[in-house]
């Protein structure tokens, strides 16, 4: 077990590089490196315009979700907080559905304006979902009430999304791929947009990491240490919403990455939030890139939605974690 942040970060970066190489080698026929000896340029074109941006986009989307999960868990002092339990992802999905139905945007478009517009509406939807959860829960003091409020808000926003889909059946195909999670539509514009969002969110999160450390001691203690809780929450929720909204707008609803990545880091390397945030982002990127490779390779030339892979693997890990912790309790 790696118990220090430095070696763990090096391992995650090594896994990222290795998976990126595998990612560009996975095609409709499985693994192939025929682009190395390609004289016609077709294989190289596929590599540079399809496989490489898809692999980099999958890693970046996973990093955004992993970072958002770490922010949410630290900010709300809740290890179960993630982009799906606080109504944020459902809010982002509702924003995307509204954009598809009434503005005519398309997730398959490679235009900057469409990509930026989808990210904008997803960001607004994410903020709305989180604020609705906080209002319904009357703050973050009561963990159970916060989780229940998040579930209620998520159900309501998902129902609203389904109503929009029924009213606009022409968007159902796009929304189906979006709801299942897909990295097949990621191009260079998506990669650049998510990379910019990741850099901004990471800078903001690292700037507030000491406040998150203080919050682990309780709100009263954090306040006595001079932490401006109101400002910290507004800024951190903004970073959380930007990360979640950008990832959801570009790659759809991808489950469990934002919840599992911080847990993996904490289980192997307990550390302060300054290092936890960076490691969680890298772990989220590795998880989603690995899931994307599995989704392309397992039943090639058929391709599974990556959200199904992350749901199976993430859910299995959490069940195993719960079983292990229950088994450790004294009789």
């Amino acid at each position: 077990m790696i118990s220090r942040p430095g070696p763990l970060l090096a391992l995650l970066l090594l896994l990222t590089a290795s998976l990126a190489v595998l990612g560009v080698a996975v095609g409709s026929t499985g693994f192939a490196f025929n682009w190395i000896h390609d004289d016609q340029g077709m294989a190289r074109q596929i590599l540079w315009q399809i496989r490489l941006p898809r692999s980099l986009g999958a890693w970046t989307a996973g990093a955004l979700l992993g970072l958002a999960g770490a922010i949410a868990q630290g900010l709300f002092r809740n290890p179960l907080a993630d982009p799906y339990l606080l109504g944020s992802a459902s809010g982002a999905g509702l924003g995307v559905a509204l954009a598809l139905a009434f503005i005519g945007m398309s997730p398959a478009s490679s235009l900057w304006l469409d990509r930026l517009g989808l990210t904008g509406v997803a960001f607004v939807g994410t903020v709305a979902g989180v604020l609705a959860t906080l209002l319904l829960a009357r703050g973050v003091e009561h963990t159970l009430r916060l989780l229940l409020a998040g579930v209620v808000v998520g159900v309501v926003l998902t129902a609203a999304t389904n109503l929009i889909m029924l009213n606009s059946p022409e968007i159902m195909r796009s929304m189906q791929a979006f709801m299942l999670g897909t990295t097949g539509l990621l191009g260079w514009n998506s990669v650049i947009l998510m990379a910019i969002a990741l850099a901004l969110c990471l800078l903001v999160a690292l700037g507030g990491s000491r406040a998150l450390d203080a919050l682990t001691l309780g709100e009263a203690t954090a306040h006595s240490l001079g932490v401006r809780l109101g400002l910290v929450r507004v800024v951190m929720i903004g970073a959380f919403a930007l990360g979640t909204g950008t990832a959801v707008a570009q790659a759809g609803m991808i489950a469990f990455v934002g919840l599992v990545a911080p847990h993996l880091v904490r289980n192997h390397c307990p550390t302060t939030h300054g290092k936890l945030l960076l490691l969680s982002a890298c772990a989220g990127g590795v998880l989603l890139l690995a899931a994307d490779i599995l989704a392309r390779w397992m039943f090639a030339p058929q391709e599974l939605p990556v959200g199904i892979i992350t749901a199976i693997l993430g859910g299995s890990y959490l069940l195993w974690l719960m079983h292990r912790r229950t088994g450790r309790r004294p009789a």
Side-chain angles (χ1 to χ4, degrees):
M1 178 184 293
I2 299 177
S3 58
R4 292 186 297 171
L8 181 57
L9 178 61
L11 175 62
L12 290 172
L13 293 177
L14 179 61
L15 287 173
T16 297
S18 302
L19 289 171
V21 173
L22 290 177
V24 299
V26 177
S28 59
T29 58
F31 289 99
F33 290 90
N34 58 329
W35 53 271
I36 297 177
H37 306 289
D38 178 45
D39 296 328
Q40 302 298 322
M42 180 62 69
R44 293 180 183 270
Q45 188 77 5
I46 293 174
L47 184 150
W48 287 107
Q49 299 302 323
I50 298 177
R51 295 183 188 174
L52 184 58
R54 175 173 180 167
S55 298
L56 293 178
W59 187 93
T60 311
L64 283 168
L65 293 173
L67 178 60
I71 292 174
Q73 291 173 17
L75 183 62
F76 301 117
R77 293 180 294 150
N78 190 332
L80 293 178
D82 85 324
Y84 288 81
L85 292 180
L86 296 176
S88 52
S90 300
L94 177 59
V96 170
L98 289 171
L100 295 180
F102 300 109
I103 304 178
M105 294 180 178
S106 171
S109 174
S110 60
L111 297 177
W112 261 105
L113 186 60
D114 281 357
R115 287 294 178 180
L116 191 60
L118 285 176
T119 299
V121 295
F123 171 76
V124 173
T126 301
V127 173
V130 173
L131 291 180
T133 299
L134 295 177
L135 288 174
L136 188 61
R138 299 177 185 176
V140 299
E141 291 81 9
H142 301 284
T143 299
L144 180 59
R145 190 161 64 189
L146 180 67
L147 292 178
L148 290 176
V151 171
V152 171
V153 170
V155 169
V156 172
L157 294 180
T158 300
T161 301
N162 291 334
L163 284 175
I164 294 173
M165 292 170 59
L166 289 174
N167 189 57
S168 303
E170 69 275 5
I171 71 169
M172 280 192 174
R173 188 175 183 85
S174 296
M175 285 301 297
Q176 181 183 30
F178 174 83
M179 299 297 287
L180 293 175
T182 179
T183 53
L185 302 177
L186 296 177
W188 285 115
N189 287 341
S190 296
V191 173
I192 294 172
L193 188 60
M194 288 191 292
I196 293 173
L198 178 61
L200 291 174
C201 294
L202 195 55
L203 285 175
V204 172
L206 292 177
S209 60
R210 291 187 178 180
L212 294 180
D213 289 335
L215 272 173
T216 60
L217 304 174
E219 290 192 13
T221 302
H223 186 73
S224 67
L225 293 174
V227 177
R228 300 172 62 182
L229 295 178
L231 178 61
V232 168
R233 282 177 177 146
V234 169
V235 173
M236 285 299 189
I237 287 176
F240 166 78
L242 178 61
T244 303
T246 304
V248 170
Q250 305 303 317
M253 309 283 278
I254 297 175
F256 282 110
V257 172
L259 179 61
V260 170
H263 275 277
L264 284 173
V265 173
R266 277 195 297 265
N267 286 339
H268 289 84
C269 180
T271 184
T272 59
H273 278 90
K275 297 172 183 177
L276 174 66
L277 294 167
L278 178 60
L279 291 171
S280 296
C282 293
V286 168
L287 288 174
L288 187 51
L289 179 53
D292 179 55
I293 293 172
L294 283 175
R296 285 186 271 166
W297 169 73
M298 287 181 65
F299 299 104
Q302 297 294 324
E303 182 177 319
L304 291 175
V306 70
I308 294 178
I309 300 295
T310 59
I312 294 173
L313 296 180
S316 300
Y317 169 76
L318 290 178
L319 288 174
W320 171 80
L321 190 64
M322 292 172 59
H323 175 73
R324 188 183 68 169
R325 290 185 175 180
T326 302
R328 287 181 177 180
R329 292 181 179 177

